[in-house]
Structure formats: C-alpha cells, structure tokens
C-alpha cells in the first residue's frame, strides 16, 4: 500500500549539485525515520543518509560534508541535497525507512555524474 516516488535525478558534471525528492503515500510518514539509499552498478545498495522523526540527520562518513538530508512532514516528503558531486556518486537513488527498509522499493531516480 505504501508508495515511494523518487525524483530529481539527472546528468550533472563533476562538482555540480542535485536535489532529490521522495514523496511517500499510504503511510503515517511522520512516524518513521527515513533514509536515502543508493545502488551503483555492480555494488550492493547502501544507506547514504538518514533522518529521524525529530529531524536529526546521519550520514555515511564519506558523504557528510557534501550531502544534506531533510524532511517536510506536512508534505510527506524527504529530500537529499547533494553538492560537489563526484563520478563515484553515480547510482540509482532510492528512499525508504531507516535504518532498515520496511517498504517495497520504488523505481528510484538515476544520478549520473560525468563530464
């Protein structure tokens, strides 16, 4: 019943920025910690950022200076601001509950960082 719709990805040059959005429907969004995950070709899906119900963020160690996660409970939406993007950030980005995913995965949004 829960639907996750990610958007905002695209093709950017190294050093560029993107803002991803995840719209959640069919659940009491404010009751869950939320996270952004990514999966690059040939690699496992990994959690890159999470935010608690109270708005406290956590990041993978290698990303904390470049990524910012936020949420708007009134809009049932979680965001990921990505700055200073690098080619190794290229992946499909997904949202789900954190710190363990509880819902079926959405389609994700493709982020490609290339010159």
């Amino acid at each position: 019943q829960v639907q996750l719709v990610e958007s905002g990805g695209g093709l950017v040059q190294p050093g560029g920025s993107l803002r991803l959005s995840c719209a959640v429907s069919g659940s009491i969004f404010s009751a869950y910690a939320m996270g952004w995950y990514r999966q690059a070709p040939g690699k496992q899906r990994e959690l890159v950022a999470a935010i608690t119900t109270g708005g406290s963020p956590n990041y993978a160690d290698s990303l904390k200076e470049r990524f910012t996660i936020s949420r708007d409970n009134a809009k049932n939406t979680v965001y990921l601001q990505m700055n200073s993007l690098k080619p190794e950030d290229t992946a499909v980005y997904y949202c789900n509950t954190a710190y363990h995913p509880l819902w079926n995965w959405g389609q994700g949004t493709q982020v490609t960082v290339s010159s």
Side-chain angles (χ1 to χ4, degrees), residues 1 11 19 22 25 29 36 39 41 47-49 55 58 61 65 70 75 77 84 87 92 96-97 103 110:
Q1 294 280 42
L11 174 63
R19 187 179 187 239
C22 170
S25 63
F29 173 81
W36 282 96
Q39 187 168 28
L47 178 67
V48 299
N58 296 98
D61 289 341
E65 281 85 26
S70 61
K75 296 181 178 179
T77 302
S84 301
V92 179
N96 214 312
T97 56
W103 302 326
Q110 176 72 51

Side-chain angles (χ1 to χ4, degrees), residues 60-109:
D61 289 341
S62 62
L63 303 175
K64 61 178 60 178
E65 281 85 26
R66 300 189 294 117
F67 287 16
T68 302
I69 188 171
S70 61
R71 68 190 298 162
D72 187 339
N73 287 341
K75 296 181 178 179
N76 281 21
T77 302
V78 61
Y79 306 94
L80 185 67
Q81 178 68 47
M82 305 186 294
N83 299 323
S84 301
L85 284 164
K86 304 175 180 179
E88 51 262 45
D89 296 320
T90 295
V92 179
Y93 284 72
Y94 303 87
C95 62
N96 214 312
T97 56
Y99 293 83
H100 297 89
L102 299 177
W103 302 326
N104 290 334
W105 299 101
Q107 291 293 105
T109 185

Side-chain angles (χ1 to χ4, degrees), residues 16-38:
S17 298
L18 285 172
R19 187 179 187 239
L20 308 183
S21 298
C22 170
V24 182
S25 63
S27 183
I28 306 175
F29 173 81
S30 61
Y32 297 92
M34 295 296 298
W36 282 96
Y37 303 76
R38 69 183 183 187

